[in-house]
């Protein structure tokens, strides 16, 4: 199980490091789980999710032929535009960057796990500078294939174009690999320079205990300090909407919008005032001065089928905001206009039942350089 968690962590890290992604299909959105949703109370949410048996939501893990697969996909697009002044001239600058990523992975047997995975993560960007009705554009791209077997994750960055123009540093095509053992140790020791200790190790049992007892149904026990009732009650306070579809299984839609954003800031401000936390109040005030949120919509979906099996988890977002440069400390003088920022796209994790094919001989391919050996 520890190795399985390391697989998930390394794949998510590899995709996340390649940032944001390309455009969505206007006719169909893969990050929206369609359903007949009806807004639900905290009590209704608690009641419906209590019916989900997490111990069997991913099938019978004790079966000899057990197999579980996931397909992870991500597509987010970030665009910014502003004005810059230089040598008496004013220029309009438009900057966009995105990625499209997809990764399929499969594993069998919890006792002696066998893993395999295959996918890609591509980064693309475009910068356009316009002045006096003339414009010049620069494009960049990074293309990467990703793989894993039971021991290693492999990154084949086979194309890099104009990266220096965007990030100020050049990147050459390269092949890298890292063992899950090294990744797991690095993650565990990230907050402890002396390395992880037994007391620092967090296991799933520390977070959620599933105990069905001798005869009763499985029961979820949340870690100390986490009150489910209080958490659900906070959804209303924070103006976070929850809607359910229970017609054929269970689908949940959680919506965070501009009203939620304002409510979260108001609650944080209220708590900071009550606890006399002046530095926090200053940070909230600075955020309000710097950031103007025009549009905010983050929809989070979770679905289980009619048999109680996990089906999908997705996030779909659309954000339009303005960074007020006059209120941002140490902003370069050459920036003469506000930053208009837009983010849209999503991420999904769905069940995958297909096969995984790895390049022949990848485990012994000497062109892949071990990252941790290089770093020492």
């Amino acid at each position: 199980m520890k190795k399985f968690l390391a697989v998930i962590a390394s794949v998510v890290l590899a995709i996340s490091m390649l940032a944001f992604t390309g455009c969505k299909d206007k006719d169909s959105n893969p990050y929206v789980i369609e359903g007949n949703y009806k807004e639900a109370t905290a009590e209704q949410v608690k009641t419906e999710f209590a019916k989900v048996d997490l111990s069997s939501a991913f099938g019978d893990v004790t079966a000899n032929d057990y197999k579980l697969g996931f397909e992870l996909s991500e597509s987010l697009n970030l665009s910014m535009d502003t004005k810059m002044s230089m040598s008496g001239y004013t220029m309009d600058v438009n900057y966009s960057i995105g990625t499209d990523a997809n990764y399929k992975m499969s594993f069998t047997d919890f006792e002696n796990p066998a893993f395999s995975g295959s996918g890609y993560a591509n980064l693309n960007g475009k910068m356009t500078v316009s002045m006096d009705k003339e414009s010049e554009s620069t494009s960049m791209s990074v293309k990467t294939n990703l793989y894993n077997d039971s021991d290693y994750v492999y990154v084949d960055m086979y194309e890099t174009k104009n990266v220096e123009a965007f990030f100020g540093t050049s990147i050459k095509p390269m092949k890298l690999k890292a063992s899950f053992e090294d990744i797991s140790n690095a993650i565990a020791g990230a907050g402890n320079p002396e390395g992880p200790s037994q007391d620092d190790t967090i296991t799933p049992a520390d977070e959620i205990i599933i105990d069905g007892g001798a005869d009763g149904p499985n029961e979820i026990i949340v870690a100390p300090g986490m009150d489910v009732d209080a958490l659900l009650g906070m959804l209303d306070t924070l103006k976070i909407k929850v809607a359910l579809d229970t017609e054929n299984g269970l689908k949940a839609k959680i919506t965070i919008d501009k009203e939620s954003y304002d409510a979260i800031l108001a609650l944080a401000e209220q708590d900071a005032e009550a606890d006399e936390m002046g530095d926090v109040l200053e940070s909230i005030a600075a955020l309000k001065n710097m950031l103007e949120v025009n549009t905010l919509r983050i929809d989070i979906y979770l679905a289980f089928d009619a048999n109680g099996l996990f089906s999908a988890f997705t996030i779909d977002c659309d954000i339009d905001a303005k960074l007020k440069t006059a209120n941002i400390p140490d902003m370069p003088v050459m920036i003469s206009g506000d930053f208009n920022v837009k983010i849209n796209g999503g991420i999904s994790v769905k069940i995958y039942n297909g096969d995984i094919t790895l390049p022949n001989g990848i485990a012994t391919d000497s062109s892949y350089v071990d990252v941790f050996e290089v770093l020492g």
Side-chain angles (χ1 to χ4, degrees), residues 124-194:
N124 60 81
K126 185 176 182 179
M127 181 166 55
T128 301
V129 179
S130 303
M131 183 176 60
D132 295 334
K133 297 182 180 180
E134 294 185 1
S135 64
E136 182 176 345
S137 297
T138 303
S139 298
M140 62 81 65
S141 66
V142 176
K143 295 184 178 181
T144 302
N145 286 327
L146 307 171
Y147 309 99
N148 79 268
D149 56 22
S150 294
D151 300 308
Y152 281 83
V153 59
Y154 306 86
V155 178
D156 178 9
M157 189 182 299
Y158 64 90
E159 180 181 298
T160 60
K161 292 183 178 179
N162 294 332
V163 176
E164 188 171 5
F166 274 68
F167 301 109
T169 183
S170 61
I171 299 177
K172 296 181 179 180
M174 64 184 76
K175 290 184 176 182
L176 304 171
K177 70 177 181 180
S179 72
F180 290 123
E181 181 179 1
D182 287 336
I183 293 171
S184 179
N185 290 337
I187 293 173
N192 185 355
E194 299 180 358

Side-chain angles (χ1 to χ4, degrees), residues 21 36 63 67 71 153 223 334 337:
T21 163
N36 183 23
K67 179 180 179 181
E71 179 175 5
V153 59
M334 62 187 298

Side-chain angles (χ1 to χ4, degrees), residues 48-73:
E48 292 301 327
F49 272 92
K51 300 175 183 178
V52 177
D53 185 350
L54 293 181
S55 69
S56 60
F58 295 95
D60 183 4
V61 298
T62 63
N64 293 330
D65 59 348
Y66 182 74
K67 179 180 179 181
L68 178 63
F70 294 101
E71 179 175 5
L72 295 82
S73 63

Side-chain angles (χ1 to χ4, degrees), residues 215-233:
D215 303 311
N218 288 319
E219 179 181 13
I220 303 174
I221 303 175
V222 182
M226 294 180 63
D227 187 325
V228 175
D229 290 326
L231 181 60
L232 291 173

